[in-house]
Amino acid sequence: MKIILNNTVNGSVSELIKELGRNRTKAHSNINTADENHIFIAPDRFTLSVEQEIFEILKLQGVADIEVQSFMRLAIRELSKLPPKRCLTKEGAVLLLKKTADKVKDSLVHYRLLANSRAFAKEMYPALASFKTSGITHNDIEDRLDSLFKSTKAKAKDIAVLLKAYNEELLGYDDTTTRLERLRDLMVKSPHIKNSHIYIGGFFHFSKQESDIIARLMLYAKSVSVALPHSSRDCYPWETLERLKLLAEENNKEVEIIKTVTAVPEPFGLLSRRVFSYEGEPVGKGLKPVKVYIENTIYDEFN
């Protein structure tokens, strides 16, 4: 497993794309590996810009062996090869939670009256989805109830009841959280994953589900390379790097850390180096002043 570190997010992604290019050139030089695929996983909102950057950096006109996915889009692609389940949109999941709440509301304490509200399921669903994404089950919540204060304990107990009942109602369906769980579980059976090099960039942190998927990719993909914004001088997410190193250790995979630096023009370089820095060094002389504009509303800022 390779971990590419860079002082900027864009720089880390660019270096990861160059790594993709090197692997692709090496694969094409051997007839036995010429059909290998390359999957770049990026946050949903960045997939288009990453696609554009791949073509620009690698100077490509067209490709059939590179694809850019998010974790969710990769899950949808892989699950499309299995017997279909009914996939719920967020609105569908909220309706299912409303149905669940109606069934168990007599078992609730803190949320018993609120469960009758039309807005209850809409407000509660993000909380349940957060627990599921973090890998927290209703059993985990119940095991810690005794350590909570009385008011918090009542809320947590109700959430555990709702989470358990919602998961039971969810059987036969897929929502945004179960798609990632199923992607994790089907890695061992996916020939597409086994024939692919994986590149993951543009992230600061990974959820528990995403971390589990990365761990499986380490086992079943041809290789895994991850890019992180990171610097010894700044307050970047150290825990993400340490978590990846731990995942590799747990899966008996060696880690190669590659440190790169992207030059950032001033005065933005100063901001990059100092805004989140722990070091109390004074600002150097000779730099152009940074202008700050203030408007009354966000709409005035565009005028």
Side-chain angles (χ1 to χ4, degrees):
M1 177 184 182
K2 289 185 179 180
I3 300 178
I4 299 175
L5 305 179
N6 190 276
N7 55 311
T8 69
V9 180
N10 290 341
S12 67
V13 170
S14 296
E15 293 298 330
L16 188 59
I17 292 173
K18 294 174 185 177
E19 175 68 16
L20 185 158
R22 288 189 289 269
N23 288 345
R24 184 170 179 265
T25 299
K26 182 178 178 181
H28 286 184
S29 66
N30 189 327
I31 192 172
N32 296 320
T33 59
D35 64 339
E36 292 178 351
N37 299 307
H38 304 269
I39 302 176
F40 197 113
I41 301 176
D44 275 303
R45 60 188 180 279
F46 295 145
T47 52
L48 179 58
S49 61
V50 169
E51 286 181 2
Q52 294 173 333
E53 195 165 356
I54 287 174
F55 279 87
E56 291 173 2
I57 292 177
L58 301 184
K59 302 186 185 309
L60 301 174
Q61 298 298 319
V63 291
D65 57 347
I66 299 175
E67 56 188 88
V68 180
Q69 306 280 7
S70 64
F71 281 105
M72 185 58 65
R73 285 168 57 182
L74 180 61
I76 293 171
R77 175 191 173 115
E78 293 298 315
L79 293 176
S80 67
K81 304 170 186 175
L82 300 178
K85 279 190 173 185
R86 287 175 288 182
C87 295
L88 297 177
T89 61
K90 181 180 177 181
E91 292 74 16
V94 168
L95 289 174
L96 186 64
L97 179 57
K98 172 60 177 168
K99 175 183 174 182
T100 302
D102 289 341
K103 287 184 177 181
V104 301
K105 61 184 178 183
D106 292 337
S107 302
L108 304 180
V109 178
H110 184 84
Y111 294 116
R112 179 176 294 180
L113 296 179
L114 287 174
N116 294 316
S117 168
R118 290 184 178 180
F120 175 74
K122 182 178 179 180
E123 298 296 327
M124 179 57 67
Y125 178 74
L128 297 190
S130 178
F131 280 113
K132 288 168 66 66
T133 301
S134 300
I136 299 174
T137 68
H138 67 276
N139 289 325
D140 295 328
I141 300 173
E142 291 171 351
D143 290 343
R144 290 163 175 77
L145 289 177
D146 292 338
S147 64
L148 302 177
F149 292 109
K150 186 176 181 180
S151 59
T152 307
K153 182 177 181 179
K155 293 179 183 178
K157 187 175 181 179
D158 285 357
I159 289 174
V161 171
L162 288 166
L163 186 57
K164 179 181 179 181
Y166 175 75
N167 285 336
E168 291 172 351
E169 290 288 339
L170 197 58
L171 295 176
Y173 295 94
D174 265 332
D175 68 0
T176 55
T177 59
T178 55
R179 290 188 191 112
L180 293 182
E181 291 172 359
R182 293 181 69 199
L183 173 62
R184 174 200 64 200
D185 295 336
L186 63 80
M187 291 287 182
V188 65
K189 300 178 181 179
S190 173
H192 182 60
I193 294 297
K194 290 182 178 181
N195 192 47
S196 298
H197 297 272
I198 307 297
Y199 310 86
I200 303 171
F203 296 90
F204 285 92
H205 303 279
F206 298 105
S207 69
K208 177 63 168 58
Q209 288 182 326
E210 291 168 346
S211 295
D212 289 345
I213 290 171
I214 294 172
R216 293 295 178 91
L217 288 170
M218 289 181 194
L219 292 175
Y220 302 117
K222 285 194 170 294
S223 70
V224 176
S225 300
V226 182
L228 290 175
H230 198 82
S231 171
S232 60
R233 298 173 61 88
D234 303 324
C235 182
Y236 279 106
W238 285 88
E239 70 277 6
T240 305
L241 173 60
E242 295 304 316
R243 177 59 180 157
L244 289 174
K245 290 162 66 176
L246 180 60
L247 286 176
E249 181 181 343
E250 291 172 349
N251 289 282
N252 297 316
K253 298 293 183 180
E254 293 184 359
V255 176
E256 178 185 357
I257 296 180
I258 303 172
K259 296 181 179 180
T260 62
V261 176
T262 297
V264 181
E266 303 298 349
F268 306 105
L270 175 66
L271 295 175
S272 174
R273 294 191 303 272
R274 293 289 179 263
V275 168
F276 297 110
S277 175
Y278 288 116
E279 302 171 9
E281 297 181 15
V283 176
K285 295 182 179 180
L287 294 175
K288 295 181 180 179
V290 176
K291 295 182 180 180
V292 179
Y293 296 91
I294 300 176
E295 299 291 350
N296 293 326
T297 69
I298 189 172
Y299 303 103
D300 292 338
E301 293 179 7
F302 292 100
N303 299 324

